[in-house]
Amino acid sequence: MIEKPKIGVYICHCGINISSTVDVETVEEYALKLPNVEVARTYSYMCSDPGQALIKEDIKEHDLNRIIVASCSPRMHEPTFRKAIQEAGLNPYFLEMANIREQCSWVHQDMEEATAKAKKLITASVAKVRLLEALESTEVDAEPAALVIGAGIAGIQAALDIADAGFKTYLVEKTPSVGGRMAQLDKTFPPLDCSACILTPKMVDCASHPNIELLSYSEVEEINGYIGNFDVKVRKKARYVDFDKCTGCGDCATECRVADRFPSEFDEGMGKRSAIYLPFPQAVPAKYTIDPEHCLYLKRGKCGKGPKCQEVCGAGAINFEQEDEFVEFKVGAIIVAPGFDPFDPSRKPEYGYDDYPNVITGMEMERLVSASGPTGGKVLINNGEEEIEPKEVAFIKCVGSRDESVGNEYCSRVCCMYTAKQAHLIREKLPDAKIRIYYMDVRAFGKGYEEFYDRVRRENVRYIRGNPSEIFKRGNKLVVKVEDTLNSRPLEDEVDMVVLGVGLEPRAEMRQVMDLLRLSQSGDRFFLEAHPKLRPVDTATDGVYLAGCCQGPKDIPDTVAQAKGAASSAMIPLARGKVTIDAQVAEVNEATCRGCGFCVEICPYSAIEMVTVNRFGHEIEVARVNEALCKGCGSCSAACLSDSIQPKSFRDRQILPQIAALGVMK
Amino acid sequence: MSTESLTFTEKYDLLGCIQCGRCTGGCPVTVRADLNVRQFVNDAYDEEKLDELARLAEIWDCTACHTCAVRCPKGLKPLEVLIGLRSLIVESGKVEPRVRDALQSVLLEGNPWEKSRAMRQDWMEGLDVRIAEPGEYVENLFFVCCTNAYDPRVQVTAKNMVKILNKTGVDYAFLPEDESCCGSEVFTLGEEGLFEMLVEDNTEFLNEFSAGRIVTLSPHCFTTYKTHFPDLKHPVIHYTQLMDELIQEGKLAWKGELPKKIVYHDPCYLGKQGGIFDEPRRILKSIPGVELLEFNRSRERSLCCEGGGGKMWVESESRKERLADTRIKDAKAMGADLVAAACPFCILTLEDAMKGLGYEEEMRVAEIMELLGEFVEV
Ligand SMILES: Cc1cc2nc3c(=O)[nH]c(=O)nc-3n(C[C@H](O)[C@H](O)[C@H](O)COP(=O)(O)OP(=O)(O)OC[C@H]3O[C@@H](n4cnc5c(N)ncnc54)[C@H](O)[C@@H]3O)c2cc1C
Ligand code: SF4
Ligand code: SF4
Ligand code: SF4
Ligand code: SF4
């Protein structure tokens, strides 16, 4: 300590959040008596402009060199106050926050005790703030490019926005085509746009945009680095079709020896495809792919006298020698958009989904009413005996959502509206059908949604308030066992077809993406955002953003809005061209480091590596911190046996006096 | 928080209910009785109404099949609200004489059948049965169940079990005659105090033995031990799991053939509640000659036979078709020669229904152990 500390203490009322439980005036008086404290003040909202101005003026007038703000958690406002004191000419790290809200006023009722505790917290801050050292944050260049994982509507929209802003964008999609779930939908709720009509142009733009490199049928294998500088490695899976030669004519699929034999993923297994296939007519890229699981030649080494596809392909595009390729590139930001899985109703065996062909999911219903679907848009269903046009159709909502018995407590947010939409589509096609929707609540919260719900009811769609318990068969009818809870009447309704309004679940394989990027899940198992309200597209990993249903169930309007939000966040480092590296990171004392590597293992951000240095002529290993990756969490310092690694501003010599001042340590 | 101080609302988490109706929707007895369990969950919130609710006859129609609990999306056990109301009646002493006698018999003799404890092992007569000694390790410790022990119709389950075990050389022993009722029906009849006592006493009694696992002959004991005995130190299985193991390991030798169409009825306490669906089916399929049929309402969607929930002692007022009758008629319609189950209550109710319907000539109801006794070399 060279200069004498001159401390200012600023005690916030936080409206009445703090002052109703903590006697701030008494605390002010008390603070003034603490060593080196020159000024102490209270104010209604310290974070407001006048509050900040108060601190700045005092710094100038009283020559303060250390500041304590006794208010809320540093999580929100530490950056605010650092900036304020920096503007007044102080090093921004000469700040300490005493959290007298979350750690005091919000959790205590007794004013006397809460006031005493606030005093202690401030005493502790005084003990520490004098020991803080000036730190300088650094800047590194950011690669002006982005990676987007997943090309559903979320990924597509995010990629288009970033590319339109002039940045190179790599769009990686696992399946042979972009489009995701939205491509499978027939019409989309309010106001019933044809899904293909509004999506296809965007899909085409992805492939033709000069700034987008579309890597379809590809998966990210490896990501290293940090915000501004991620190194990415992508596996392009072999399609066994020469991408440049294939004209998309489809002769191969027609002639394939096992043509139209396998369930089409796009048609939810209700339609069939060949071993060589285009997932759907508007697929982008319009290039065929051989499915190695089903191709006779790839599976058994033999396809008749020779592969038919090869024989008929006029462009000579079939290439069985093709192997997976790897591409590597650098990006400054990453958007994660791998979407969702529809709930699998086999997990609710009481609905008989596995037993009855006329119990189908909402996703299957989308294909059934679609003009490009397996029935050409006709509502036809097999009732176990014959193909019929159903006269009575039942929808069950909340299947797999709001249901602790399957471990999903959340509402899936789209099934109320998509069942209404599908009921409307069936009404259009079957004007005389009896349509019932069994519900426990109707959640029509979006713009135009309640109006649509009103319209569908008036189209003679009966809403019955009761969540069915069971489906079984009687003759060739399905029996829906349910209670109409509005009149307390248990019913056994006989219908021809049941549509299960399945909810949305996190992708089964999301673990892979989680591990690549060290993302976390929230309680509902979707990806966790940095803050539920204020940072909904950010993650705990800087430079990595979330878009679409991977973060939680969403309709298309919300998905697109979030994708645009993620794109705009991702563009901040790209547009600036630089990223600031926080100075409050761990530092190694190489002279005492024993090279044991405990810290490397413990660091949750993989920010530490072992390097070889020359110490007095000996090559030895020591730990080194990558400051861009380090979050200053301090895990390393707890693990280090020789106290050789410590986070700046949280060194033992700074925090031990602080703890001692709390009076909890001998 | 001690359980004593919980209000009805807290004890049964009534505020967790969203009144979705899945419980009543799934409740099998609604087709013949006025019971609406959701309505009870709703109405029991009003503490002042509890006595009035408890006097409604339909609370005794619940069979404790647990369909409502399995289906509830919010983790409630709606049937326990009915049991809670039954307990108000039991406490007040105004219960039906048959129920009162059954409970009295459990208290005094350790079984609900009003039989003396001294007769509990009469079924063993003429058999070479190994009896467990406290502290002496045995791999499979058998809990026989009051109904299997005393009811002449289902004693065959235990008897055949002993014969097969003796033949296969499985390490086993049956509990000595101090074995007491598991309390399954005491619990569902609402005798809370007696049930708590049984949990305590049985836990202490069973924990004195050293065993790899407890094998129960009735699904009611199986599920009751698994869900209501937190301090029991042994794992608990149902006998179908053991028999299935023996068959998979090739330890049973078959004799003769059973060229019959058999349909298996899933006991609620074994299937819906215990999650055991495949083992009984695998056993039946391995009996030479058997063709196994499936009810339309099977496995998780099985229809209750109305044998549980204390219904052995409370007759329903409804004159509508009994569920066991529906079950037998369904079996008949699908051409089954034999309805098999692995639960003493199911056997008693289904056989009663079969006889009542006059199908005795062309149909048979049998415990799986009964069939094994006939077709396994002993
Ligand atoms: C039956 C049904 C009907 C619906 N109807 C409507 C409607 O009418 N209106 C409406 O607004 N919303 C509707 N929705 C909701 C709508 O489907 C979603 O809002 C939308 O699809 C979400 O888009 P997404 O991009 O987040 O996810 P997805 O559509 O799931 O796209 C994710 C993409 O990422 C890819 N991917 C996954 N993992 C990886 C990986 N590791 N690497 C690379 N790529 C990966 C997937 O292959 C997929 O292409 C409906 C939903 C259902 C289930
Ligand atoms: S090799 Fe044969 S099976 Fe494989 S895609 Fe070609 S025609 Fe079909
Ligand atoms: S959106 Fe509607 S149907 Fe879907 S889970 Fe929520 S309440 Fe149920
Ligand atoms: S199933 Fe559960 S939540 Fe639904 S009404 Fe019954 S008790 Fe309430
Ligand atoms: S346990 Fe069975 S009979 Fe009793 S209320 Fe529940 S579903 Fe109905």
Side-chain angles (χ1 to χ4, degrees):
Chain A
M1 221 49 323
I2 302 158
E3 45 177 357
K4 177 175 173 289
K6 290 174 131 186
I7 305 172
V9 180
Y10 297 87
I11 303 146
C12 187
H13 295 224
C14 193
I16 57 163
N17 271 303
I18 294 172
S19 59
S20 65
T21 324
V22 172
D23 179 353
V24 287
E25 313 299 335
T26 318
V27 176
E28 181 195 68
E29 268 170 47
Y30 170 84
L32 265 176
K33 296 187 200 124
L34 292 171
N36 305 114
V37 173
E38 297 278 313
V39 190
R41 291 186 198 283
T42 75
Y43 190 70
S44 53
Y45 292 103
M46 267 309 162
C47 57
S48 66
D49 269 351
Q52 294 184 42
L54 201 72
I55 302 176
K56 288 191 215 171
E57 277 158 31
D58 280 352
I59 291 175
K60 297 209 176 98
E61 194 168 320
H62 298 275
D63 221 6
L64 302 178
N65 55 20
R66 294 289 188 279
I67 300 299
I68 291 169
V69 181
S71 57
C72 46
S73 150
R75 204 171 153 155
M76 181 81 198
H77 279 311
E78 193 172 60
T80 315
F81 294 115
R82 276 191 183 157
K83 191 157 152 282
I85 70 170
Q86 188 170 25
E87 279 162 12
L90 275 191
N91 184 290
Y93 293 90
F94 283 162
L95 170 79
E96 189 60 23
M97 289 186 72
N99 185 354
I100 60 166
R101 193 179 70 181
E102 283 88 339
Q103 292 178 359
C104 191
S105 69
W106 277 357
V107 289
H108 300 300
Q109 270 104 45
D110 185 289
M111 188 138 192
E112 213 166 293
E113 283 176 353
T115 305
K117 181 165 171 185
K119 287 179 186 169
K120 263 208 172 145
L121 289 170
I122 291 170
T123 316
S125 293
V126 170
K128 181 181 175 193
V129 79
R130 344 149 53 176
L131 304 170
L132 289 178
E133 56 209 327
L135 302 177
E136 296 300 333
S137 52
T138 47
E139 293 212 314
V140 295
D141 288 342
E143 186 71 26
L147 162 69
V148 178
I149 303 176
I153 181 60
I156 290 175
Q157 187 60 55
L160 287 174
D161 279 10
I162 299 173
D164 280 347
F167 300 105
K168 171 96 190 174
T169 308
Y170 299 89
L171 177 56
V172 177
E173 166 59 44
K174 194 159 87 174
T175 69
S177 172
V178 303
R181 291 287 170 190
M182 186 175 168
Q184 291 178 277
L185 307 181
D186 178 47
K187 299 262 171 44
T188 53
F189 54 74
L192 288 178
D193 323 72
C194 144
S195 189
C197 314
I198 57 175
L199 179 64
T200 314
K202 286 187 187 281
M203 290 167 54
V204 173
D205 285 353
C206 281
S208 58
H209 202 295
N211 283 338
I212 296 184
E213 184 163 338
L214 174 60
L215 298 160
S216 57
Y217 206 46
S218 299
E219 273 174 70
V220 179
E221 290 266 309
E222 228 181 281
I223 298 179
N224 289 308
Y226 50 91
I227 180 168
N229 296 279
F230 292 106
D231 294 307
V232 184
K233 185 170 166 192
V234 173
R235 176 194 292 269
K236 288 174 75 175
K237 291 178 280 189
R239 285 177 187 258
Y240 305 103
V241 170
D242 189 317
F243 196 87
D244 297 325
K245 288 189 189 154
C246 176
T247 60
C249 71
D251 289 347
C252 51
T254 324
E255 294 301 322
C256 170
R257 273 208 176 77
V258 283
D260 299 327
R261 290 269 284 277
F262 310 108
S264 144
E265 292 82 356
F266 183 74
D267 275 337
E268 291 291 308
M270 295 193 296
K272 298 273 191 273
R273 63 161 171 83
S274 310
I276 184 163
Y277 69 109
L278 194 64
F280 54 103
Q282 306 88 335
V284 170
K287 305 288 180 185
Y288 276 71
T289 303
I290 297 185
D291 163 8
E293 283 305 306
H294 291 116
C295 166
L296 299 173
Y297 190 79
L298 287 171
K299 198 87 193 150
R300 302 205 227 131
K302 195 162 177 293
C303 172
K305 290 203 194 72
K308 265 275 191 212
C309 49
Q310 208 160 34
E311 194 182 310
V312 298
C313 179
I318 311 290
N319 174 9
F320 288 107
E321 307 304 310
Q322 209 177 61
E323 284 178 2
D324 290 2
E325 276 174 48
F326 292 92
V327 279
E328 292 182 35
F329 49 85
K330 216 176 164 92
V331 296
I334 297 173
I335 290 179
V336 180
F340 67 95
D341 279 337
F343 175 78
D344 173 8
S346 305
R347 277 163 51 202
K348 285 189 78 66
E350 61 267 31
Y351 289 153
Y353 176 72
D354 288 339
D355 302 328
Y356 310 130
N358 40 349
V359 176
I360 65 170
T361 66
M363 211 65 224
E364 288 166 339
M365 191 66 199
E366 292 289 337
R367 298 313 304 146
L368 199 59
V369 287
S370 166
S372 70
T375 56
K378 290 209 187 72
V379 185
L380 291 173
I381 192 90
N382 182 332
N383 67 3
E385 280 152 39
E386 53 178 343
E387 183 126 297
I388 56 159
E389 189 169 84
K391 293 196 174 51
E392 302 198 49
V393 181
F395 287 87
I396 300 181
K397 297 209 295 185
C398 301
V399 177
S401 312
R402 308 176 62 194
D403 191 344
E404 289 175 20
S405 74
V406 293
N408 293 340
E409 284 179 51
Y410 56 85
C411 163
S412 288
R413 295 175 53 115
V414 298
C415 9
C416 270
M417 291 314 293
Y418 85 61
T419 46
K421 167 189 76 177
Q422 293 179 350
H424 165 83
L425 296 175
I426 293 191
R427 174 57 75 231
E428 272 184 345
K429 290 175 196 250
L430 307 174
D432 300 322
K434 207 163 177 176
I435 306 175
R436 300 192 191 91
I437 297 185
Y438 299 99
Y439 72 101
M440 46 189 193
D441 291 295
V442 177
R443 297 185 168 169
F445 53 83
K447 190 163 172 166
Y449 290 10
E450 182 70 14
E451 294 89 323
F452 185 73
Y453 167 45
D454 289 340
R455 169 178 161 192
V456 171
R457 280 195 328 277
R458 293 201 168 95
E459 289 171 349
N460 195 15
V461 170
R462 283 296 287 164
Y463 273 73
I464 296 171
R465 197 193 174 283
N467 198 297
S469 198
E470 201 165 297
I471 294 169
F472 59 93
K473 233 182 135 177
R474 188 178 287 149
N476 57 10
K477 291 279 189 178
L478 294 171
V479 179
V480 179
K481 210 167 143 31
V482 60
E483 184 202 4
D484 183 339
T485 60
L486 295 184
N487 57 21
S488 297
R489 211 172 285 156
L491 305 169
E492 292 195 350
D493 285 344
E494 296 192 353
V495 300
D496 297 314
M497 168 180 192
V498 176
V499 184
L500 303 177
V502 292
L504 276 50
E505 284 200 308
R507 275 211 184 259
E509 348 76 295
M510 73 192 282
R511 181 88 280 163
Q512 189 243 349
V513 181
M514 270 176 71
D515 291 347
L516 272 177
L517 288 162
R518 263 179 277 285
L519 299 176
S520 321
Q521 291 166 293
S522 36
D524 55 13
R525 310 185 320 284
F526 288 96
F527 284 136
L528 177 68
E529 63 285 332
H531 187 284
K533 297 176 198 75
L534 300 174
R535 298 179 67 199
V537 303
D538 307 63
T539 66
T541 310
D542 289 338
V544 179
Y545 310 93
L546 303 173
C549 290
C550 65
Q551 179 256 346
K554 275 176 203 68
D555 52 20
I556 297 164
D558 284 359
T559 298
V560 170
Q562 198 190 25
K564 286 181 160 286
S568 117
S569 291
M571 282 188 285
I572 295 171
L574 309 192
R576 251 188 93 213
K578 291 208 180 309
V579 287
T580 307
I581 307 290
D582 190 21
Q584 213 168 276
V585 292
E587 189 180 53
V588 178
N589 181 347
E590 290 189 3
T592 56
C593 173
R594 304 186 307 175
C596 68
F598 281 178
C599 53
V600 177
E601 268 170 48
I602 211 108
C603 176
Y605 302 96
S606 303
I608 311 174
E609 57 179 351
M610 301 307 293
V611 294
T612 312
V613 293
N614 187 315
R615 192 189 287 165
F616 311 120
H618 299 284
E619 301 265 291
I620 58 154
E621 293 236 295
V622 294
R624 183 159 294 167
V625 176
N626 180 332
E627 299 198 341
L629 287 179
C630 175
K631 295 260 182 196
C633 74
S635 306
C636 50
S637 126
C640 181
L641 298 175
S642 58
D643 295 339
S644 302
I645 186 163
Q646 300 211 326
K648 296 175 189 169
S649 294
F650 287 90
R651 300 178 193 277
D652 284 356
R653 65 178 149 82
Q654 293 162 329
I655 59 170
L656 293 180
Q658 180 184 25
I659 298 169
L662 284 172
V664 290
M665 209 175 60
K666 300 269 144 56
Chain B
M1 213 192 294
S2 88
T3 29
E4 312 310 320
S5 64
L6 291 182
T7 63
F8 216 76
T9 301
E10 288 163 341
K11 185 165 173 194
Y12 302 110
D13 190 23
L14 300 183
L15 295 174
C17 168
I18 36 167
Q19 292 291 310
C20 68
R22 256 195 221 165
C23 45
T24 296
C27 177
V29 302
T30 56
V31 293
R32 60 185 308 256
D34 271 339
L35 177 62
N36 185 329
V37 67
R38 176 195 55 78
Q39 194 84 56
F40 279 97
V41 174
N42 185 65
D43 295 350
Y45 173 71
D46 187 351
E47 300 270 333
E48 283 171 15
K49 259 175 94 181
L50 289 179
D51 287 325
E52 191 185 317
L53 291 174
R55 284 196 294 274
L56 295 173
E58 63 256 37
I59 66 167
W60 299 96
D61 282 313
C62 169
T63 67
C65 69
H66 280 70
T67 307
C68 52
V70 175
R71 304 275 163 78
C72 175
K74 299 292 167 187
L76 274 73
K77 296 195 172 102
L79 77 148
E80 293 191 356
V81 174
L82 302 175
I83 295 176
L85 293 171
R86 288 179 178 185
S87 73
L88 296 180
I89 299 290
V90 173
E91 250 169 59
S92 73
K94 294 197 196 88
V95 329
E96 283 193 39
R98 285 182 65 201
V99 173
R100 185 199 56 213
D101 295 345
L103 294 171
Q104 183 83 357
S105 165
V106 173
L107 179 67
L108 300 177
E109 300 295 337
N111 74 81
W113 297 114
E114 298 170 59
K115 297 275 164 61
S116 109
R117 181 181 288 287
M119 289 158 64
R120 194 172 181 99
Q121 299 199 323
D122 283 5
W123 65 271
M124 292 183 182
E125 214 179 284
L127 290 168
D128 176 17
V129 185
R130 264 171 262 167
I131 303 294
E133 301 263 350
E136 212 167 276
Y137 181 82
V138 58
E139 177 60 34
N140 297 291
L141 179 62
F142 276 82
F143 184 89
V144 83
C145 161
C146 308
T147 312
N148 289 320
Y150 291 107
D151 193 299
R153 170 61 186 91
V154 285
Q155 280 176 343
V156 61
T157 304
K159 288 184 182 171
N160 286 354
M161 181 60 74
V162 170
K163 291 181 195 158
I164 291 180
L165 294 173
N166 283 348
K167 173 78 180 174
T168 49
V170 170
D171 180 23
Y172 84 91
F174 277 72
L175 284 159
E177 81 178 23
D178 341 339
E179 175 187 291
S180 289
C181 178
C182 70
S184 161
E185 303 308 282
V186 174
F187 175 75
T188 58
L189 284 168
E191 186 22 312
E192 286 180 359
L194 179 57
F195 183 66
E196 265 172 42
M197 192 193 89
L198 289 175
V199 172
E200 251 174 58
D201 291 356
N202 278 346
T203 303
E204 197 186 325
F205 171 66
L206 293 168
N207 282 352
E208 275 176 25
F209 294 88
S210 158
R213 55 192 180 180
I214 292 175
V215 186
T216 57
L217 295 189
S218 164
H220 286 254
C221 317
F222 172 63
T223 298
T224 303
Y225 280 137
K226 280 176 86 101
T227 47
H228 293 290
F229 284 69
D231 299 326
L232 193 62
K233 68 178 190 194
H234 315 290
V236 181
I237 65 165
H238 182 250
Y239 84 77
T240 49
Q241 294 172 283
L242 172 66
M243 286 297 126
D244 180 50
E245 264 173 39
L246 294 179
I247 292 171
Q248 302 304 320
E249 292 164 8
K251 295 218 174 113
L252 300 191
W254 302 103
K255 61 168 189 204
E257 270 203 12
L258 181 60
K260 297 272 184 215
K261 290 191 179 130
I262 299 190
V263 65
Y264 172 68
H265 163 84
D266 288 278
C268 299
Y269 272 72
L270 192 59
K272 263 185 198 135
Q273 295 178 52
I276 307 258
F277 298 106
D278 296 325
E279 290 86 340
R281 289 177 166 78
R282 272 201 299 265
I283 297 173
L284 290 169
K285 266 195 261 181
S286 56
I287 301 176
V290 164
E291 181 186 340
L292 191 66
L293 307 179
E294 276 295 343
F295 278 117
N296 172 241
R297 304 175 75 173
S298 72
R299 300 178 69 96
E300 291 88 348
R301 284 180 287 143
S302 175
L303 183 65
C304 174
C305 75
E306 290 186 271
K311 298 294 288 176
M312 287 287 164
W313 298 274
V314 195
E315 197 46 59
S316 176
E317 286 175 12
S318 168
R319 294 289 133 241
K320 292 199 186 136
E321 182 173 284
R322 291 185 302 170
L323 299 181
D325 290 353
T326 312
R327 208 59 173 157
I328 293 292
K329 282 185 182 168
D330 283 353
K332 181 93 188 316
M334 67 202 290
D337 310 306
L338 196 155
V339 179
C343 167
F345 291 166
C346 293
I347 296 301
L348 295 172
T349 50
L350 292 172
E351 192 162 84
D352 196 36
M354 185 198 61
K355 288 181 180 162
L357 289 165
Y359 297 162
E360 257 177 302
E361 299 295 313
E362 63 254 70
M363 231 183 173
R364 180 180 171 195
V365 171
E367 229 299 333
I368 289 185
M369 273 324 289
E370 216 175 323
L371 300 176
L372 288 183
E374 291 163 29
F375 295 93
V376 170
E377 205 78 66
V378 289

